[in-house]
Amino acid sequence: MKICVACLFLLSGFVQGFYVPGLSNGKESRLRLPSAKSVTAEPFQKTSERIVLEELPSVYLYDHCPFCVRVRLALGIKNVKYNLKFMANDDTKTPNKLVGRKIAPIFKLPQDNLIMAESLDIIAFIDSDERFGPVGAIKPATGRTDIKAWKKSVKTLLRTLQRPRYVATGLIPEFQQTDSRHAFIKNHQLPPYEKYEWRGNDDHPGIDMERKIKLYAEALAQDPAPMIEELNAKLVQLDDILYSEHHCYEGGLSYDDIDLWSRLRSITIIDDIRWPSKLRAYMDNLSALGDVPLYDEMAL
């Protein structure tokens, strides 16, 4: 019944209210499988004093976007208070006015008259400025090829499972109206289509909007069990190479975690995921550390 209702959300533009983070409903998606390896590691210790500038910085963003989540996670880790400015997915005027193109995240620091884009540049700025707490708190990226290969191995699978669910929940801020949901569908292809086949170019007409909406609805309505089984197996593989429940390599919390966790967060929008215990603890720990809620309560 849940999937059928979700399809109606997608096609009719029905919107529900926002969920309350932190309330557990005992979903199967939160069940934990035992991890093969367990390492005792110290959690990241952020400054106990909340950093509140006289004029708060603002982040213009989309909730589902992993690049936006990177910045939210970094600011949360550093205990910085900031304004969240969620943009509708079809809002082109706001980002164009700020930085001259449709992009997210965008960081605005009023006292410096500073506006900047690109998530890693924003984080580098934040973590090198003493106004935002101790500098160099987030360790450099390690360049781990095993985690990079894992992320590549699930790219197609996650696009198929996540993209229809983003627009179907009716709960994500940037998809509160039909126009914004349709803007996402228009520009974000589903496998097996390539970007040029979906959007079209000089040599290819692309797919018409009615067909795109139908493909999203069909992707959501199909039995996800085989794909979820495959994803569950992939999560076990990742759990095996994750160093601890607090950070993914032994040197401590790093840019590797900033990127990995921000991508993994969207998996929590998929129902019936069985998380290995170490990896699930990693998700929960960094969610609390960064003050970025997960999607468990709206999972489809």
Side-chain angles (χ1 to χ4, degrees), residues 125-156:
F125 171 76
I126 293 166
D127 202 28
S128 62
D129 190 317
E130 292 181 348
R131 289 175 295 178
F132 301 106
V135 300
I138 303 169
K139 297 182 183 298
T142 65
R144 284 186 59 172
T145 57
D146 54 351
I147 290 180
K148 182 178 180 180
W150 185 89
K151 288 186 287 191
K152 184 177 181 180
S153 75
V154 296
K155 183 177 179 180
T156 298

Side-chain angles (χ1 to χ4, degrees), residues 280-300:
R280 182 68 222 198
Y282 176 78
M283 298 305 299
D284 293 336
N285 288 337
L286 268 68
S287 174
L289 181 67
D291 194 19
V292 183
L294 300 170
Y295 287 135
D296 295 292
E297 312 307 328
M298 65 172 75
L300 296 175

Side-chain angles (χ1 to χ4, degrees), residues 55-89:
E55 288 188 88
L56 295 183
S58 295
V59 181
Y60 294 78
L61 72 162
Y62 307 125
D63 187 83
H64 78 282
C65 167
F67 307 110
C68 301
V69 176
R70 286 174 175 175
V71 175
R72 294 176 67 182
L73 181 59
L75 285 165
I77 286 168
K78 293 182 70 68
N79 208 10
V80 176
K81 185 172 177 60
Y82 61 100
N83 293 317
L84 282 162
K85 302 283 189 178
F86 291 111
M87 300 183 290
N89 198 255

Side-chain angles (χ1 to χ4, degrees), residues 41 57 93 104 159 164 270 297 300:
K93 291 183 178 179
R159 282 184 175 178
I270 306 166
E297 312 307 328
L300 296 175

